[in-house]
Amino acid sequence: MRIKKNFAVVLHVIFLFTVVAGISIMYLHSQIGAGIGWISDNRYEDSDAFQQQFQSDINHILKYAAYRDVFESDGSLDLSKQMFSVSRGDSPEVIYTLEEVLRYAKSQGFYLNENFEVVNDTFIYDNASTARDQYVNWRAYDPNATLKEPGDAYTSLLDLCREVLNCLSEYYTVHYRMLVNPSNFYFQIVYQDEDQTEPDAIFSNTGNMTLDEIKNLGRYCYLTSDSIFIETNLGEIPQNITVSMENNNLYDADSYYIIAAVDTTYSAPDVYADQADGYQTLRSHFLEGLAALLVGILGCIVTLYYLILVSGYKTEERVNPYLHGFDIITTESCIAMTALSTMFALFLGEKIIYRLIHLLVVEAEWDYAERITRALIIYGCCMTGAFSLLRRYKSRQLWENSIIHHVTQNIETYFANGTFSKRLACLYGGFISVQVLALSLIGLCLRFWQSPAAKVITILLAGGLIAVDYLAFHRLYLSSTQEDRIADAISMIASGDTGYQMDLDGLSGKELGLGKMINSIGTGLEQALKEQLKSERMKTDLITNVSHDIKTPLTSIISYVDLLKRENLPGEKVQEYLKILDQKSQRLKNLTEDLVEVSKASSGNLKLDMTTINFVEMIWQTNGEFEEKFETRHLELVSNLPDESILIRADGRRLWRVLENLYNNTFKYAMEHSRVYTDIAKVDNMVYFTIKNVSENPLNFQADELTERFVRGDVSRATEGSGLGLSIAKSLTKLQKGTFEIMIDGDLFKVRVGFPVVEKVEKVEKTEK
């Protein structure tokens, strides 16, 4: 494994130097600032370099057209040509010829070199020649000169000679490159009056070539005075052509044209041919450098990924990389030592390696070589620190062996049992202190920003400040997350899930204690509810079993009482006793049936036969059933019922039991010689039936108590009843998805029962189905 790792390191270094080599080749063989898009130009004439050379030659031939007649006579250079006229004070006018200008300029060290550039070798000027005391009467090379300031008419003789040399340089550049020697650049400039057959002036190196032949050479530009548009097949239109052609029209010709073209076969050995060959070589070298760069980057990524994977070995329990001595120090110390070693390596590079670079590399490439060396030093030092951090991470020592972790553990130990407000105040105070200290140090470093050490310290402080801000946010986030989990647990228990147990993983400090207490509360509630349900189930079973056991002998008693009544036994006392036995047995039978009914209703064991019922019609029927019974206690039944039908979904038999219990309750406890009110009201999609009366006995208890089992409104229990009627009515109503409410206002007793309304259309559809 170690051999493979070392081999991967060697490969990584090789690929790294491949990247450097690729960048160097691209840097040395590219058009700096043009980006990578320039290599997509297939031909030299499509490149910016061709466009720039063409624009430069256009400028040269336009200046040549302006200066040719200044320096030539009969097609050859004439040294006797007059260049300018000057005068000084009251002295007479002095005219200088081209020969005199060249001699004087040479005496001052100025001349044209082999590239027709104006140079000076001596840098020793005659003080008299540099004084601006010469009044210029005229310049042959600038006949249309205009003076912007009065002082512009005065200059020195040396400056005038240099102006002539500059004009002569432009003349010789075109004369030598494009007229005397073969050239791929062809041009033709013609000025001509309309009434003349011969042109006033012609400047050309095309010989007898026609305009079409010139255009067919390759890339061209053609401008005529008859059009404001420039005809060209170049990527960009050359500049200053129109203005220069107008300014050079010294002959006041009626028309003119200029055509310039480049033979893109590059048959002549000139600057275009050289640049075309260099362009192709440049592209090939740039592509080679780009390929080397891509291969190097890919190789670096692959070898780096492999080194990351094999930086440790796996066991059954955890990953244990080969930790070195450098990996034992704390994480923050590792980062600090990496930064310091990087700074020291950069210092050594500046004092030693840069000096070697200056001996081995040409001066023009010093800056590039130094930047590459600096990047390699930073990369090597940072990768060493990064792999140390990676080994720590895989061995789970990155956080555990950090100073921040130790400090955090100590702080948590100190404040684990503190109040939430105390912990928050301490955390906020520490956060503010770190912020103020770090910002103060950064401000101090900014005052000495020119120092490299200040820059490094500022970067480290900024990084540390960001880390502290993140840790503070992370701590608050974790605390908020734990509080949210506690709130969710309380909400789950409050909503009825008493068996809910929190996952205590991730909780710490006081939150962990709260989580354990919440789990204890949930466990206790769950146990209490189980005991309560068990007790309720036992009560229900007891009622059911006792009712069943009573029902069998009670049936025999009722049967024998009935037989005795049929025997017509003599004696009034006997008949009275039989009547009492019959009443009490029937009451006991009703009580037994109520017990069974309430047991089934509370446990939900009743089977309902839900149908669509006309609620209004059922109330009318119930009123009819109890009207005579109410009259026995002088109770007047007053009903306020709608004329239209109102349909509900209910079990007819169970609904009748609900209404029967309500009417019987009213019959038993309503005040005699009073009124009983019943009404039906429809509210939104609900229908409510209300029955109310004035109680005969004081209602000195809460309304909810009346629906409890065996609770009666007659505290003296003088009336017959089991105390289960309202409880049964409420349970049966709830089973049928209805609402059941009892309201007490003084001695006014009111019960309201509600059911969802079923629309008639829905009834018809269900019937059809």
Side-chain angles (χ1 to χ4, degrees):
M1 180 65 72
R2 184 173 292 274
I3 296 175
K4 291 182 179 179
K5 184 177 179 180
N6 294 335
F7 181 69
V9 171
V10 173
L11 282 179
H12 185 77
V13 173
I14 293 173
F15 283 120
L16 181 62
F17 279 101
T18 303
V19 171
V20 174
I23 295 175
S24 301
I25 294 173
M26 294 171 63
Y27 182 84
L28 299 174
H29 298 87
S30 65
Q31 298 180 0
I32 304 301
I36 198 172
W38 71 276
I39 63 173
S40 62
D41 299 332
N42 295 326
R43 295 175 298 178
Y44 164 64
E45 52 266 26
D46 295 324
S47 66
D48 292 337
F50 178 86
Q51 184 73 30
Q52 294 171 4
Q53 184 63 42
F54 192 91
Q55 178 69 57
S56 175
D57 288 342
I58 286 288
N59 296 335
H60 284 308
I61 63 172
L62 289 173
K63 291 178 180 179
Y64 170 78
Y67 301 143
R68 188 193 65 176
D69 292 343
V70 175
F71 298 113
E72 285 187 3
S73 294
D74 299 328
S76 60
L77 185 66
D78 187 356
L79 296 178
S80 63
K81 280 278 190 176
Q82 297 179 351
M83 295 291 102
F84 52 83
S85 169
V86 296
S87 58
R88 183 166 60 181
D90 296 333
S91 301
E93 176 184 8
V94 179
I95 299 175
Y96 285 86
T97 63
L98 178 58
E99 182 178 5
E100 293 171 335
V101 168
L102 293 177
R103 287 180 179 178
Y104 183 78
K106 193 171 183 180
S107 69
Q108 298 298 316
F110 288 92
Y111 62 93
L112 298 180
N113 62 9
E114 65 277 5
N115 295 322
F116 309 110
E117 298 172 344
V118 180
V119 296
N120 175 263
D121 288 342
T122 62
F123 296 100
I124 299 175
Y125 305 144
D126 183 1
N127 291 332
S129 66
T130 59
R132 299 177 61 85
D133 57 356
Q134 304 288 331
Y135 180 82
V136 182
N137 297 311
W138 51 265
R139 294 180 176 90
Y141 50 86
D142 190 10
N144 298 322
T146 56
L147 302 178
K148 296 181 179 179
E149 299 292 340
D152 292 345
Y154 289 90
T155 185
S156 65
L157 183 61
L158 180 59
D159 288 339
L160 289 171
C161 293
R162 291 174 62 185
E163 290 177 2
V164 174
L165 286 180
N166 288 329
C167 297
L168 187 61
S169 171
E170 294 290 344
Y171 164 79
Y172 265 124
T173 298
V174 175
H175 181 78
Y176 180 80
R177 279 185 49 218
M178 303 178 189
L179 299 175
V180 176
N181 294 310
S183 174
N184 291 307
F185 185 86
Y186 293 86
F187 67 93
Q188 192 176 99
I189 301 175
V190 176
Y191 290 93
Q192 184 175 3
D193 288 327
E194 295 180 354
D195 55 352
Q196 295 181 2
T197 58
E198 295 295 330
D200 294 333
I202 181 170
F203 310 89
S204 173
N205 67 345
T206 59
N208 296 323
M209 297 176 65
T210 63
L211 292 178
D212 291 336
E213 290 175 344
I214 297 173
K215 292 179 181 180
N216 291 331
L217 290 172
R219 298 303 171 93
Y220 72 93
C221 175
Y222 174 65
L223 169 67
T224 177
S225 60
D226 297 333
S227 175
I228 61 174
F229 298 103
I230 298 177
E231 180 184 346
T232 181
N233 59 359
L234 296 170
E236 296 180 8
I237 298 176
Q239 302 175 358
N240 303 325
I241 297 181
T242 304
V243 176
S244 298
M245 289 295 291
E246 290 288 348
N247 292 336
N248 292 339
N249 189 7
L250 303 177
Y251 312 97
D252 294 326
D254 297 330
S255 64
Y256 59 81
Y257 71 84
I258 177 176
I259 184 169
V262 175
D263 182 4
T264 53
T265 61
Y266 308 113
S267 56
D270 67 346
V271 63
Y272 286 97
D274 295 339
Q275 288 188 6
D277 293 338
Y279 181 82
Q280 296 301 326
T281 304
L282 194 67
R283 289 181 71 249
S284 62
H285 286 311
F286 188 87
L287 291 174
E288 291 170 359
L290 181 61
L293 175 64
L294 296 177
V295 171
I297 291 176
L298 182 61
C300 287
I301 293 174
V302 173
T303 53
L304 187 62
Y305 179 72
Y306 177 78
L307 289 173
I308 292 174
L309 290 180
V310 302
S311 61
Y313 59 91
K314 294 184 179 180
T315 63
E316 294 181 356
E317 296 182 356
R318 60 189 294 180
V319 179
N320 294 307
Y322 297 102
L323 295 178
H324 306 303
F326 182 66
D327 303 330
I328 300 176
I329 63 175
T330 60
T331 303
E332 292 82 359
S333 300
C334 170
I335 296 174
M337 289 189 65
T338 301
L340 291 175
S341 62
T342 302
M343 295 172 59
F344 182 71
L346 289 175
F347 173 78
L348 292 180
E350 182 177 356
K351 298 300 181 182
I352 300 175
I353 301 178
Y354 290 0
R355 305 293 174 86
L356 295 176
I357 289 175
H358 295 170
L359 295 175
L360 301 175
V361 181
V362 296
E363 184 176 0
E365 308 300 337
W366 284 1
D367 181 64
Y368 170 76
E370 290 174 1
R371 279 185 286 158
I372 287 293
T373 304
R374 188 160 50 246
L376 289 175
I377 293 173
I378 295 174
Y379 180 82
C381 294
C382 291
M383 288 303 296
T384 302
F387 273 102
S388 176
L389 295 177
L390 178 63
R391 289 190 293 271
R392 295 164 184 266
Y393 172 75
K394 289 196 171 185
S395 63
R396 301 179 185 176
Q397 297 296 315
L398 181 64
W399 170 247
E400 294 180 359
N401 193 27
S402 65
I403 298 176
I404 298 176
H405 175 64
H406 297 319
V407 173
T408 302
Q409 280 187 325
N410 294 334
I411 292 175
E412 289 181 351
T413 302
Y414 299 149
F415 298 101
N417 298 322
T419 61
F420 287 109
S421 57
K422 180 180 178 181
R423 292 162 60 191
L424 180 61
C426 293
L427 178 63
Y428 184 72
F431 176 76
I432 292 298
S433 301
V434 172
Q435 298 289 312
V436 172
L437 178 61
L439 291 176
S440 301
L441 293 175
I442 289 175
L444 182 63
C445 291
L446 290 177
R447 294 188 59 185
F448 303 97
W449 183 249
Q450 300 301 326
S451 172
K455 294 180 180 180
V456 174
I457 294 173
T458 302
I459 295 173
L460 292 177
L461 286 174
L465 189 61
I466 294 173
V468 170
D469 292 345
Y470 170 74
L471 290 175
F473 167 77
H474 186 65
R475 179 64 182 173
L476 292 175
Y477 176 78
L478 290 179
S479 179
S480 301
T481 303
Q482 295 179 23
E483 293 173 1
D484 289 340
R485 290 173 59 185
I486 292 173
D488 292 340
I490 295 174
S491 177
M492 293 293 292
I493 295 175
S495 63
D497 187 4
T498 56
Y500 180 80
Q501 293 289 302
M502 282 188 65
D503 183 7
L504 301 180
D505 291 341
L507 297 182
S508 60
K510 254 194 160 179
E511 286 79 3
L512 180 59
L514 287 175
K516 292 179 179 179
M517 288 189 287
I518 289 174
N519 286 345
S520 299
I521 292 173
T523 303
L525 286 175
E526 182 71 11
Q527 187 65 31
L529 287 175
K530 287 182 179 179
E531 293 293 335
Q532 182 179 358
L533 290 175
K534 182 179 179 181
S535 176
E536 290 291 331
R537 189 162 50 250
M538 291 179 65
K539 289 179 182 179
T540 303
D541 293 341
L542 177 62
I543 292 172
T544 304
N545 293 333
V546 171
S547 299
H548 184 271
D549 292 341
I550 293 175
K551 194 173 183 180
T552 301
L554 181 60
T555 303
S556 300
I557 293 173
I558 293 174
S559 299
Y560 281 112
V561 170
D562 185 59
L563 289 174
L564 288 174
K565 287 172 63 178
R566 292 180 182 180
E567 291 295 332
N568 293 322
L569 297 175
E572 293 182 0
K573 289 288 185 181
V574 174
Q575 293 298 325
E576 183 179 354
Y577 294 155
L578 288 175
K579 182 178 179 181
I580 293 172
L581 283 173
D582 185 40
Q583 291 176 353
K584 299 304 180 182
S585 61
Q586 290 296 333
R587 182 182 177 187
L588 185 58
K589 179 183 178 182
N590 292 334
L591 177 59
T592 305
E593 290 177 351
D594 287 346
L595 286 172
V596 175
E597 188 79 16
V598 74
S599 176
K600 292 180 179 180
S602 61
S603 63
N605 291 330
L606 286 176
K607 292 184 179 180
L608 300 178
D609 183 15
M610 304 294 287
T611 58
T612 302
I613 297 173
N614 188 342
F615 197 35
V616 177
E617 182 180 347
M618 193 164 192
I619 299 301
W620 278 116
Q621 291 177 357
T622 309
N623 287 346
E625 291 286 339
F626 282 87
E627 191 171 3
E628 293 183 3
K629 187 174 182 178
F630 281 2
E631 289 178 357
T632 60
R633 297 195 66 233
H634 306 287
L635 298 174
E636 182 182 353
L637 186 60
V638 180
S639 298
N640 182 20
L641 305 178
D643 296 330
E644 70 275 6
S645 300
I646 300 178
L647 305 179
I648 63 172
R649 292 282 295 176
D651 185 327
R653 188 164 66 90
R654 308 300 178 187
L655 181 59
W656 163 253
R657 184 63 187 276
V658 172
L659 297 176
E660 181 184 26
N661 286 2
L662 293 179
Y663 277 77
N664 279 327
N665 184 77
T666 301
F667 172 75
K668 293 176 184 178
Y669 302 111
M671 180 184 293
E672 288 192 15
H673 302 285
S674 65
R675 296 182 181 88
V676 177
Y677 294 91
T678 60
D679 64 82
I680 293 179
K682 184 178 179 182
V683 181
D684 296 331
N685 62 336
M686 294 290 292
V687 57
Y688 295 99
F689 165 71
T690 306
I691 182 169
K692 54 188 174 180
N693 63 271
V694 177
S695 174
E696 186 173 12
N697 300 305
L699 299 176
N700 54 357
F701 40 75
Q702 297 296 323
D704 293 341
E705 297 180 14
L706 291 176
T707 56
E708 298 294 331
R709 298 173 188 172
F710 306 106
V711 175
R712 298 171 60 182
D714 181 9
V715 179
S716 65
R717 306 182 73 86
T719 59
E720 294 183 0
S722 62
L724 299 173
L726 293 180
S727 177
I728 293 173
K730 181 178 180 180
S731 298
L732 292 177
T733 303
K734 295 291 184 182
L735 286 175
Q736 298 176 86
K737 310 301 181 184
T739 61
F740 189 93
E741 299 174 87
I742 295 179
M743 290 159 279
I744 296 176
D745 186 4
D747 289 336
L748 178 63
F749 179 80
K750 180 167 64 174
V751 179
R752 188 171 73 166
V753 179
F755 291 95
V757 176
V758 178
E759 298 294 335
K760 294 182 180 180
V761 175
E762 184 179 352
K763 179 183 176 182
V764 173
E765 291 177 353
K766 291 181 178 180
T767 304
E768 292 176 353
K769 291 179 180 179

